[in-house]
Amino acid sequence: MTQPAIETRGLSQRFGDFRAVEDLNLTVAEGEVFGFLGHNGAGKTTTIHMLTTLARPASGSARVAGHDIVTDPLGVRREIGYVPENVRLYDTLTTRENLTFFARLSGVEDASDRIAEVLDFLSIEELADRRVGTFSKGMRQRVGLAQAILHRPGILFLDEPSSGLDPMGMKMLRDLIGRLNREWGMTIFMNTHLLSEIAKSCTSIGVLNHGRLVFHDSIDVVMKRYGDEEALEELYLSVVPVNAKGEAA
Amino acid sequence: MSDFTNHPVRTIAGKDIADARRDRFILIVTGFIALAALTSLITGAVALSTDVATYNDAKATLLALGKSLDSIAAPEFYPLKLLRGAIEQFEIIGAVLGILAGFRAAVSERGRQTLALIMTRPVKGWQFLAGKYVAGLVLLSTGLLAVFALAALALQLSSGVGLGLGDLSRIGIVWLVASAYVMVFYGLTFILTLWMKRPANALLISFAVWLLVVLVAPQIGDTLDPDNQVAGGVFKQLQVPKAEQDRIKAGYATFETVRNGIEAASITKHFERFSFAVLGIKDTYTGKALGPILVEKQGDFLWIFLTSLGLAVLMIARPINANRLTKE
């Protein structure tokens, strides 16, 4: 039996009296595309920060690619790639210079070959020697993705990857996520609040409400139970009720 | 070899240096310091050449009258004294350069979320911070080296007197200490910008510190110094004997301790005391050998280096607050 790509046990995070994430028990199997759904402020980014070792949990534990996030953060970092929301990279440097920098930090030996491979994979060879500061949001997002997959991580964390993208950009990103999962065998952990993205990209789904995991199952089960993609909204509203102001209750 | 090339500290420092070279901000501010230093130098050179011209006129008059030249003393000429204005400009603008460079080094990583990207690499927190410190040190000290080299060249051209190895050594020592002085402000601002919730507040606090340390404290110290109230010194002008001077000063021991304490709290004053002594700008040290000056001024030297080192250790040793990695 293979170990899960991500496994959390009672994972919690607090900021003062505010409980950002509470008692999160979650398992993401290897090779899954996991969609983490929730309203703004539900604790999705905080969860990613803990799993990527950017923040220490207040309590509980988690293992990513078999490494404990608290006792072996460097082990975790060797196995993951991360794309934050609205990543900008270094404006004055070219795409190639940005990627060389991140490849070196990841300890990639054959950096120039790997960069060529990634640029080809993402079809952004023409951006290689242009400064990142001149790029559109969609271009930046692809370069952001390039820096995250340079070292061929086993697990890729994406925080609101489709934020600010036009429909064309969203489709392109969706295709890339699918290819990374199928062709490179990456496990994808994706924060989003777009139900349509979950339906089109993910193999499993978790819903977070005010820091608590209120739903977790495979997308196949969801589809069988609720019928079609449109019904995802019905599912979401059933586990995350809204108040009179339209906010998550 | 490849281990060294890919070492995180070197990689981060190299990226910062390339980034700074491209955006030219540091270059522009350094150019501004160079301009201010050269302006001060030229002003000093003009004043000196007026003195020399006055002396030459007097000499010509005496010779025309057939009199001996022994009755007028040839002006003593120490070209390094011309650097006084440049050092004073540097104390103020150099500190601003350090603040701006430190702020940019930290805020750029926070605002672009690249800090989060770096910290999800197999890189230790101290390696990232050390890389930023090394980059700041290389950029600022290289910029200052260019300014000091330009000042030395201008000094030679304006005075017409060649600078010897001794003079260049003195300039080199002051450059070294100047780099440490600027790094104090770089380190302070970097730390505040990375630690504080709002980077803009860090900049405000840094400039408040700059105002106190660079402008207010040295001025208070100077203004309260009784011997500074008359040009050339009160005691000297009134021809008060040394024993009498000591007796008068003893009556104001507490006052003098407080006054000196205010001055000594300012790192700028330590830099000024050190550089004025090494360059022979202050009359007491003009023409004096370098060795004894360095021994006498080791306190100022240590103050600057230990403050700079302390801030560097603080900058590198403190873990990065995860809350500073979040979306701006």
Side-chain angles (χ1 to χ4, degrees), chain A residues 48-56 69 72-73 76-77, chain B residues 119-120:
Chain A
I48 278 200
H49 278 177
M50 288 190 284
L51 296 177
T52 54
T53 75
L54 288 172
R56 278 176 80 99
I69 59 168
D72 188 14
V76 173
R77 292 175 191 178
Chain B
M119 296 318 297
T120 49

Side-chain angles (χ1 to χ4, degrees), chain A residues 1-238:
Chain A
M1 189 180 137
T2 57
Q3 64 181 6
I6 299 164
E7 189 175 26
T8 73
R9 289 286 171 265
L11 196 67
S12 303
Q13 183 64 284
R14 290 178 186 181
F15 301 115
D17 292 335
F18 177 67
R19 295 174 176 187
V21 176
E22 184 138 31
D23 196 27
L24 181 66
N25 294 298
L26 179 70
T27 303
V28 177
E30 227 174 59
E32 273 195 70
V33 179
F34 176 76
F36 208 29
L37 194 66
H39 57 87
N40 290 334
K44 304 187 298 293
T45 298
T46 303
T47 303
I48 278 200
H49 278 177
M50 288 190 284
L51 296 177
T52 54
T53 75
L54 288 172
R56 278 176 80 99
S59 60
S61 64
R63 296 182 81 79
V64 175
H67 302 277
D68 189 282
I69 59 168
V70 174
T71 58
D72 188 14
L74 291 186
V76 173
R77 292 175 191 178
R78 284 190 193 95
E79 303 290 341
I80 63 166
Y82 172 49
V83 185
E85 186 182 2
N86 296 324
V87 61
R88 281 182 53 203
L89 302 180
Y90 300 102
D91 290 352
T92 60
L93 305 184
T94 65
T95 300
R96 194 185 303 280
E97 287 167 337
N98 266 291
L99 296 183
T100 304
F101 171 66
F102 287 109
R104 282 186 180 159
L105 286 187
S106 303
V108 174
E109 292 287 332
D110 50 345
S112 55
D113 290 347
R114 199 67 74 80
I115 289 167
E117 181 189 14
V118 167
L119 291 173
D120 176 56
F121 180 82
L122 297 170
S123 305
I124 52 172
E125 296 100 322
E126 76 280 6
L127 302 183
D129 297 309
R130 284 174 55 189
R131 289 191 186 183
V132 170
T134 62
F135 291 175
S136 68
K137 168 85 186 173
M139 289 169 169
R140 278 190 194 162
Q141 199 70 353
R142 278 194 283 167
V143 179
L145 191 58
Q147 64 76 29
I149 63 173
L150 270 172
H151 51 299
R152 284 198 173 243
I155 304 164
L156 181 62
F157 289 91
L158 304 168
D159 193 1
E160 305 282 3
S162 48
S163 166
L165 292 181
D166 59 25
M168 196 65 181
M170 284 169 71
K171 181 176 183 322
M172 197 171 285
L173 184 73
R174 198 161 54 234
D175 292 345
L176 286 172
I177 289 170
R179 285 181 61 202
L180 284 170
N181 178 246
R182 287 190 308 274
E183 296 171 25
W184 289 25
M186 277 184 199
T187 303
I188 314 276
F189 186 105
M190 179 169 69
N191 276 356
T192 184
H193 52 256
L194 293 179
L195 296 168
S196 58
E197 287 308 297
I198 296 272
K200 288 170 184 162
S201 305
C202 298
T203 56
S204 66
I205 172 176
V207 181
L208 206 59
N209 182 29
H210 292 300
R212 285 187 171 276
L213 187 70
V214 290
F215 183 85
H216 181 207
D217 217 327
S218 80
I219 203 80
D220 291 340
V221 171
V222 172
M223 289 302 176
K224 275 179 194 160
R225 193 188 304 170
Y226 290 89
D228 56 26
E229 290 173 16
E230 299 298 317
L232 264 175
E233 189 173 302
E234 194 182 322
L235 158 69
Y236 182 74
L237 292 175
S238 71

Side-chain angles (χ1 to χ4, degrees), chain B residues 2-328:
Chain B
S2 73
D3 279 345
F4 176 69
T5 307
N6 282 342
H7 193 281
V9 174
R10 189 187 182 281
T11 303
I12 290 162
K15 182 272 299 169
D16 258 29
I17 291 165
D19 199 14
R21 273 176 44 216
R22 292 272 171 82
D23 82 0
R24 293 183 186 164
F25 175 78
I26 302 283
L27 190 70
I28 290 167
V29 182
T30 308
F32 189 67
I33 296 178
L35 191 69
L38 287 179
T39 307
S40 303
L41 204 70
I42 290 164
T43 312
V46 168
L48 185 81
S49 59
T50 308
D51 289 348
V52 172
T54 308
Y55 168 73
N56 285 336
D57 287 349
K59 200 167 77 172
T61 308
L62 286 173
L63 287 173
L65 293 170
K67 292 190 175 176
S68 163
L69 294 179
D70 295 342
S71 58
I72 54 166
E76 285 188 287
F77 188 50
Y78 295 99
L80 293 186
K81 272 181 173 276
L82 290 180
L83 288 171
R84 183 191 186 107
I87 294 291
E88 284 171 343
Q89 295 282 2
F90 178 79
E91 285 168 7
I92 299 168
I93 310 173
V96 173
L97 172 69
I99 288 172
L100 294 177
F103 179 72
R104 285 170 64 90
V107 81
S108 60
E109 302 284 7
R110 281 184 67 175
R112 292 186 284 213
Q113 296 213 53
T114 42
L115 186 55
L117 293 184
I118 292 170
M119 296 318 297
T120 49
R121 257 49 198 198
V123 173
K124 291 171 182 163
W126 74 262
Q127 291 175 322
F128 163 73
L129 296 166
K132 301 296 281 187
Y133 190 84
V134 169
L137 182 64
V138 170
L139 281 167
L140 294 174
S141 60
T142 308
L144 296 180
L145 182 64
V147 172
F148 276 88
L150 199 66
L153 187 69
L155 197 62
Q156 188 142 343
L157 292 174
S158 62
S159 67
V161 177
L163 296 178
L165 194 63
D167 294 326
L168 292 174
S169 304
R170 286 170 193 256
I171 292 174
I173 289 168
V174 172
W175 162 70
L176 201 68
V177 176
S179 299
Y181 169 72
V182 172
M183 285 307 286
V184 168
F185 292 92
Y186 176 90
L188 176 77
T189 312
F190 186 94
I191 288 168
L192 290 174
T193 309
L194 208 58
W195 289 2
M196 293 191 75
K197 194 171 180 183
R198 295 180 193 284
N201 289 347
L203 192 62
L204 284 176
I205 290 173
S206 297
F207 271 109
V209 171
W210 172 80
L211 195 70
L212 283 173
V213 169
V214 178
L215 297 180
V216 177
Q219 281 304 316
I220 289 177
D222 277 348
T223 310
L224 294 180
D225 188 352
D227 205 33
N228 264 357
Q229 307 309 312
V230 175
V234 174
F235 293 131
K236 197 176 173 186
Q237 293 299 319
L238 295 177
Q239 297 180 327
V240 179
K242 183 78 172 72
E244 185 63 9
Q245 282 182 31
D246 292 342
R247 196 191 62 75
I248 295 168
K249 281 179 182 172
Y252 293 95
T254 309
F255 173 82
E256 180 54 20
T257 305
V258 172
R259 190 201 66 78
N260 191 54
I262 293 171
E263 268 196 4
S266 162
I267 195 154
T268 304
K269 201 66 194 178
H270 287 284
F271 174 65
E272 187 180 287
R273 285 173 179 176
F274 181 85
S275 52
F276 276 20
V278 168
L279 296 172
I281 291 168
K282 197 167 181 186
D283 291 340
T284 325
Y285 301 98
T286 309
K288 207 170 162 184
L290 185 59
I293 293 176
L294 290 178
V295 171
E296 190 187 326
K297 290 291 163 189
Q298 61 182 314
D300 294 313
F301 175 85
L302 285 173
W303 224 96
I304 296 165
F305 264 90
L306 291 179
T307 308
S308 195
L309 188 68
L311 282 167
V313 170
L314 197 62
M315 176 176 156
I316 292 166
R318 194 179 193 273
I320 295 167
N321 185 347
N323 293 337
R324 304 296 172 260
L325 303 165
T326 51
K327 291 172 254 186
E328 291 289 308

